[in-house]
Amino acid sequence: MTERGRLVLAGAPIGQAGDVSPRLREALASADVVAAEDTRRLRRLAAELGVELTGRVVSYYDANEVARAKELVETLKEGRTVLVITDAGMPGVSDPGYRLTRLAVEEGITVTALPGPSAVTTALAVSGLASDRFCFEGFPPRKAGERARRLAALATEERTMVFFESPHRLEDSLKAMSDAFGPERPAAVCRELTKTYEEVRRGGLAELAAWAAGDVRGEITLVVAGHVPGETETDIDDLVAEVARQVEAGKPRKTAIVDVAKAAGIPKRELYDAVHRGSPTP
C-alpha cells in the first residue's frame, strides 16, 4: 500500500519577503507540488528568496478551488507532499485552503502548517485594543442591507473584532459600524501592514469614517473594540430619536428598532414600547 502524502499549509509574508522563515524556504524547494493562489506571485517570491521550485506548480484560487482540491487529494493519496500558499497570510483565512484541508482530513491524510505572518493577528497586536479575546469576521457584506444586519448582530459582541475591507468600501463600512456599534466605539484602521507605507489610524468609528472619506489605498485590516456591558447608561429618549432619524432616512420602523436596540444592548421590546408611546404606528 502506498504511503499517503502530507499537506502543508504555508503562511506567506503579508508585505516583506524577509519575513519568510527558513522552514518555508526549505519546504518551497522540496515540495512535490506547490499549489499557489497566484503562480506569478509565487515565482516572484521564490526569485526574491533565491529558492528554486523543483516541484510542479499549480494554481489554486477561488474559481478553481473545488475541482483542484479533489485533484490535489488524489496527489496526496499517491504519497506526494503538497504545499499550499496564498498571496499573503495563512491559507484558509479568507483565502483558499479550507476545502482541501477538509478533504485531506476526511481521507486520513496528515495536515501540518508552517506558521507565518497573518494580517489578523498583526493588526490586533498593533491596534492598541484588547487582544485577550477576539474574533475574526472576514469581509463585511457588500450590500448595505446585509451589512447592516450582520453588524447589528455583532453590536453586543464583547470580544475585539477583526475585519478585512477593501479601500473603496472602507468609508461605508465604518459608517455602518458607527451606526451599529456607536460613533465613539474605539477602532483602528491598519493599512499596508509591514509595507513601506504602513499606517495605523486609531479613533472612534465616526472619526475614522470621516477620515476614510479621503483617498485611502492599500490592504486594509480593521480592528474594532468589543461591547462593554453596562459601561454607560443609555438614555431611552436618545434611542427613540435615533430610530426616528433612521426611519426618516428610509429604513422601516421595525428594522430601525431592532438595529438600534441591538447596537445599544437593550431588549428590542423595551425600545419598541418607548417608540410607540411617543408616536402612533404608521
Side-chain angles (χ1 to χ4, degrees):
M1 180 177 177
T2 303
E3 183 178 349
R4 298 204 164 193
R6 188 172 64 130
L7 175 62
V8 181
L9 305 173
I14 60 176
Q16 300 290 335
D19 291 336
V20 165
S21 68
R23 288 184 64 208
L24 178 54
R25 290 173 184 267
E26 295 170 6
L28 284 170
S30 63
D32 297 307
V33 177
V34 179
E37 185 177 14
D38 186 324
T39 58
R40 289 171 298 182
R41 283 197 182 191
L42 168 66
R43 294 188 189 282
R44 284 199 299 269
L45 175 63
E48 286 185 60
L49 299 175
V51 171
E52 181 182 357
L53 299 170
T54 59
R56 181 165 59 97
V57 174
V58 300
S59 62
Y60 182 59
Y61 57 97
D62 291 339
N64 75 352
E65 184 178 6
V66 174
R68 186 72 82 194
K70 294 176 182 177
E71 295 174 16
L72 291 172
V73 163
E74 293 305 312
T75 299
L76 288 162
K77 289 162 71 174
E78 293 170 1
R80 308 291 181 87
T81 295
V82 175
L83 183 144
V84 177
I85 188 167
T86 60
D87 292 347
M90 285 297 298
V93 182
S94 278
D95 277 324
Y98 161 71
R99 289 180 175 84
L100 175 57
T101 300
R102 184 184 62 189
L103 289 177
V105 170
E106 290 173 353
E107 291 289 341
I109 294 166
T110 298
V111 179
T112 188
L114 295 178
S118 167
V120 175
T121 51
T122 302
L124 182 68
V126 302
S127 69
L129 299 174
S131 57
D132 54 334
R133 297 177 66 231
F134 71 94
C135 57
F136 174 57
E137 292 294 329
F139 284 89
R142 295 187 180 192
K143 295 182 179 179
E146 293 178 11
R147 183 170 56 224
R149 287 189 289 274
R150 174 78 61 80
L151 295 176
L154 292 170
T156 55
E157 171 60 64
E158 297 179 19
R159 295 171 294 180
T160 299
M161 296 168 281
V162 184
F163 300 85
F164 288 160
E165 190 51 288
S166 63
H168 65 276
R169 289 197 298 270
L170 179 62
E171 180 186 5
D172 288 341
S173 283
L174 286 168
K175 285 180 177 177
M177 289 178 185
S178 178
D179 290 341
F181 305 153
E184 301 302 321
R185 179 78 71 91
V189 177
C190 304
R191 187 180 71 84
E192 294 290 89
L193 286 168
T194 78
K195 300 176 185 176
T196 302
Y197 298 104
E198 176 178 289
E199 179 181 16
V200 180
R201 179 75 60 154
R202 304 174 181 87
L205 285 167
E207 175 189 347
L208 291 171
W211 165 77
D215 186 19
V216 180
R217 300 182 182 183
E219 300 285 339
I220 302 292
T221 306
L222 178 59
V223 187
V224 182
H227 170 68
V228 180
E231 185 177 51
T232 58
E233 291 297 324
T234 303
D235 188 325
I236 195 69
D237 291 337
D238 290 342
L239 299 182
V240 170
E242 176 59 24
V243 170
R245 282 193 291 271
Q246 293 192 17
V247 170
E248 186 178 352
K251 183 180 288 188
R253 178 179 291 181
K254 183 178 180 181
T255 303
I257 290 171
V258 171
D259 291 349
V260 173
K262 284 186 177 181
I266 68 169
K268 63 182 178 182
R269 171 56 63 178
E270 180 181 339
L271 181 55
Y272 178 90
D273 291 342
V275 168
H276 287 272
R277 281 196 302 269
S279 60
T281 302

